[in-house]
Amino acid sequence: MSAVLTVENLSRSFGAIKAVDNVSFALQQGELLAMIGPNGAGKSTCFNMLMGQLKPTSGKVTLNGKVITGLAPRVIWRKGVGRTFQITATYASMTVVENVQMALISHHRRIYSLLPYAHRLYRDRGLELLATVGMADQADRHCAVLAYGDLKRLELAVALAHDPKVLLMDEPTAGMAPRERIALMQLTADIVRERGVSCLFTEHDMDVVFAHSHRIMVLNRGQLIANGSVQDIRNNPQVQEVYLGGGTLFNPAKERADA
Ligand code: ADP
Ligand code: MG
């Protein structure tokens, strides 16, 4: 495996708070890597630096060996770092397939409003992407009427329209029912495998994390305290200690029931 995204000694402070404190890791080609940690651990701050929304206090991020630290979000996105699940990623007044077509048009650097035939452009490719996320049958519905889980799948299709090499997903399943969470992460895992995309995500449902991650990193108070396989993380005493306070990582009753 080779590293696609490399993070070296990344830090960001807000006044006296070290939100991200000297974090280093690498995301490998084709890897589905989870970043977990309690609320306020620094996960979103870390993601925002990777996506260019927030400037690091110090440290370096490289994409395929090229430094991207401090570049504008749009530039980072153009280089192949896709993000999903922004509320603004879909337009309610347009149909499902039109949203994907618009993303394809933008990806190919064409301007939607200047194209009288835009409604035809990339429609087939749009339908293909919708099929990838299991939404081909909803192509001509208006986004405003979509169920929440379907909107999330559409947002994934919109992200894929930009043909990302890396997908960054900060709490992609927030607000979803447990069964929908599992389904969305299963879909993401399939896409990662089939397209060779690399994906870094955060998620607070540990069933989802343990079921789908190739590797897990644990952030606590801005610092990376563990980085390893699902088994390593389950058995790591420091991780247990961090989570036992909140009681969210391991559920002994459930573990016994599963055994
Ligand atoms: P997580 O996503 O793991 O819940 P965050 O990255 O959102 O954690 O927050 C990490 C810490 O940084 C928290 O203490 C939070 O209050 C602080 N923080 C995050 N963003 C800001 C900001 N824009 N200004 C000040 N403090 C912030
Ligand atoms: Mg967060």
Side-chain angles (χ1 to χ4, degrees):
M1 285 208 289
S2 59
V4 177
L5 192 74
T6 309
V7 174
E8 291 169 77
N9 308 111
L10 198 64
S11 297
R12 171 70 200 214
S13 300
F14 295 108
I17 300 169
K18 287 183 172 177
V20 171
D21 188 4
N22 208 28
V23 164
S24 300
F25 66 88
L27 174 67
Q28 306 294 329
Q29 167 76 49
E31 188 175 37
L32 189 53
L33 175 60
M35 177 183 274
I36 64 170
N39 267 342
K43 304 181 296 295
S44 293
T45 302
C46 194
F47 269 72
N48 288 337
M49 288 192 282
L50 300 181
M51 300 186 289
Q53 250 104 5
L54 196 63
K55 298 246 185 292
T57 308
S58 59
K60 189 163 94 174
V61 182
T62 53
L63 178 69
N64 290 317
K66 299 211 172 77
V67 177
I68 58 165
T69 331
L71 295 181
R74 201 171 170 78
V75 176
I76 293 177
W77 172 77
R78 281 266 179 229
K79 288 179 183 293
V81 180
R83 26 184 324 195
T84 55
F85 314 119
Q86 298 155 286
I87 298 301
T88 52
T90 58
Y91 294 87
S93 63
M94 299 175 98
T95 66
V96 168
V97 70
E98 280 168 356
N99 265 278
V100 184
Q101 283 173 266
M102 208 164 80
L104 287 163
I105 288 166
S106 151
H107 178 65
H108 294 283
R109 295 173 186 265
R110 304 177 82 157
I111 299 167
Y112 191 85
S113 58
L114 297 183
L115 296 170
Y117 53 94
H119 63 281
R120 291 200 310 269
L121 207 59
Y122 300 113
R123 183 176 160 95
D124 291 347
R125 179 73 190 123
L127 290 173
E128 265 173 50
L129 284 170
L130 287 176
T132 302
V133 301
M135 284 195 61
D137 56 340
Q138 304 202 53
D140 294 314
R141 297 185 75 198
H142 276 270
C143 289
V145 303
L146 288 184
Y148 191 67
D150 290 338
L151 199 54
K152 294 287 191 180
R153 288 193 288 158
L154 170 58
E155 287 176 356
L156 186 52
V158 166
L160 291 176
H162 296 285
D163 198 18
K165 309 290 173 273
V166 173
L167 263 180
L168 300 176
M169 315 196 313
D170 190 4
E171 298 214 30
T173 70
M176 296 177 94
R179 192 177 303 169
E180 279 184 323
R181 286 171 183 252
I182 299 268
L184 187 75
M185 281 316 297
Q186 181 60 59
L187 178 62
T188 306
D190 292 345
I191 288 168
V192 163
R193 197 181 52 249
E194 283 158 21
R195 297 177 161 242
V197 176
S198 312
C199 174
L200 174 67
F201 74 105
T202 70
E203 167 64 51
H204 62 260
D205 182 330
M206 288 306 132
D207 287 338
V208 173
V209 171
F210 287 140
H212 296 294
S213 315
H214 299 153
R215 188 159 58 94
I216 301 171
M217 301 188 291
V218 185
L219 203 63
N220 188 40
R221 297 173 193 270
Q223 297 185 342
L224 215 54
I225 61 165
N227 182 350
S229 69
V230 171
Q231 266 314 314
D232 294 341
I233 298 303
R234 274 184 190 271
N235 298 330
N236 184 312
Q238 209 186 345
V239 175
Q240 301 235 1
E241 203 179 295
V242 164
Y243 273 95
L244 281 175
T248 50
L249 183 55
F250 304 110
N251 180 341
K254 185 163 188 304
E255 299 251 314
R256 275 197 298 279
D258 289 346

